Amino acid sequence: MVDAFRERITSEAEDLVASFFPKKLLELDAFLKESVLNIQDLTEIHADINLPVPDPIIFTNSHDGLDAQNFKKRKLEDCEEKCYGTKVYMMPHGMLKSNHHLVDIIERVKPEIRILIERCNTVKMWVQLLIPRIEDGNNFGVSIQEETVAELRTVESEAASYLDQISRYYITRAKLVSKIAKYPHVEDYRRTVTEIDEKEYISLRLIISELRNQYVTLHDMILKNIEKIKRPRSSNADTLY
């Protein structure tokens, strides 16, 4: 069972390094050249926020003959009688949509992140299975294997952080839109949403660039050291010379 698993992992990993990594880096490089990721005027990715600014409330000094203290007391009593539960913000135009420009890009980027994590995990397992038992001396090849595993682990961690970054974008934007619903007269909240969208657009392009670069780095690193990775220790006859 274990030998069969080892053979399967070895076959998959060698194919990934030799064929899949070069293929993916070319695909991601082509993706980076698409027009959707090369917008110079970032106003093109802005999304309308369908939250109209309500008309200003006009206050007068007339309270039907009531003084200010009694008027405030009556107002509170009326509120206690008519208002129940928590406040809910009603959107006049229905659900507020996300920025569809960015959602389209994110839906293409997330599968690429997942693929990189899964493929790195397979190659990492392959290299770990090639690490020989611990011995004194002649461990240069083993150190190369360990560095390769560390690099693969780093790539996995960085790729997972990209998913966290996308989640934080949605949460941050949702909080800002909620602020706009609560304080529709404050222009700074509306401007901040556009700033967040522009920042995420730039970040998404950087993520795709990093994914491509990680495929390039891993492919180059493993191929350059493939002999030491497969045979970390030379035979005793080789060490005599």
Side-chain angles (χ1 to χ4, degrees):
M1 294 291 291
V2 175
D3 290 339
F5 174 77
R6 186 192 299 270
E7 290 177 3
R8 180 173 63 83
I9 290 294
T10 299
S11 176
E12 290 180 7
E14 290 180 349
D15 180 68
L16 288 174
V17 174
S19 303
F20 184 79
F21 284 6
K23 175 185 174 183
K24 289 305 294 184
L25 71 88
L26 292 176
E27 288 180 1
L28 292 172
D29 190 60
F31 187 15
L32 282 169
K33 295 176 181 177
E34 292 184 16
S35 59
V36 69
L37 290 176
N38 290 279
I39 298 173
Q40 299 301 318
D41 184 7
L42 294 184
T43 58
E44 295 180 22
I45 66 161
H46 292 177
D48 292 333
I49 302 174
N50 280 329
L51 283 175
V53 178
D55 296 330
I57 300 173
I58 300 175
F59 292 97
T60 64
N61 293 326
S62 174
H63 302 309
D64 297 330
L66 298 174
D67 56 28
Q69 184 176 359
N70 290 332
F71 175 76
K72 183 177 180 181
K73 182 177 180 182
R74 192 182 76 175
K75 185 177 179 182
L76 290 173
E77 289 174 351
D78 292 342
C79 183
E80 289 174 357
E81 293 175 358
K82 299 178 181 179
C83 299
Y84 304 96
T86 58
K87 295 181 180 179
V88 177
Y89 306 126
M90 184 178 68
M91 307 304 174
H93 301 288
M95 183 179 69
L96 287 175
K97 299 288 186 179
S98 302
N99 187 320
H100 69 91
H101 302 287
L102 297 179
V103 170
D104 292 342
I105 298 174
I106 288 172
E107 291 305 310
R108 292 183 62 183
V109 171
K110 284 171 64 179
E112 296 294 346
I113 297 173
R114 178 182 56 81
I115 289 171
L116 177 60
I117 293 173
E118 292 176 352
R119 301 304 185 267
C120 280
N121 186 266
T122 299
V123 177
K124 182 181 69 176
M125 177 58 66
W126 168 59
V127 178
Q128 286 176 324
L129 290 174
L130 290 173
I131 296 176
R133 65 182 182 183
I134 300 172
E135 293 180 2
D136 292 334
N138 197 17
N139 287 320
F140 178 69
V142 177
S143 67
I144 292 177
Q145 290 178 322
E146 291 173 345
E147 288 180 13
T148 304
V149 169
E151 180 65 24
L152 288 162
R153 188 175 289 115
T154 299
V155 170
E156 278 184 307
S157 178
E158 289 180 359
S161 70
Y162 300 151
L163 295 175
D164 291 336
Q165 178 180 322
I166 292 171
S167 298
R168 286 196 303 271
Y169 159 70
Y170 282 127
I171 293 172
T172 302
R173 195 177 193 276
K175 289 179 179 179
L176 284 170
V177 172
S178 299
K179 287 287 188 181
I180 296 173
K182 189 174 182 180
Y183 305 106
H185 295 88
V186 181
E187 183 183 4
D188 286 341
Y189 285 134
R190 296 175 184 266
R191 288 187 177 274
T192 305
V193 171
T194 61
E195 292 291 335
I196 289 290
D197 287 346
E198 290 180 7
K199 177 184 175 183
E200 184 63 15
Y201 176 79
I202 296 171
S203 296
L204 287 171
R205 195 180 192 285
L206 288 175
I207 287 174
I208 299 166
S209 179
E210 282 298 314
L211 293 176
R212 178 201 60 187
N213 295 344
Q214 285 164 344
Y215 278 117
V216 174
T217 302
L218 291 175
H219 176 71
D220 183 66
M221 178 182 185
I222 294 174
L223 282 190
K224 283 180 178 178
N225 300 284
I226 190 67
E227 292 301 325
K228 285 295 183 182
I229 290 174
K230 287 185 174 182
R231 295 183 60 203
R233 289 200 178 104
S234 56
S235 63
N236 292 333
D238 294 336
T239 59
L240 295 176
Y241 301 96

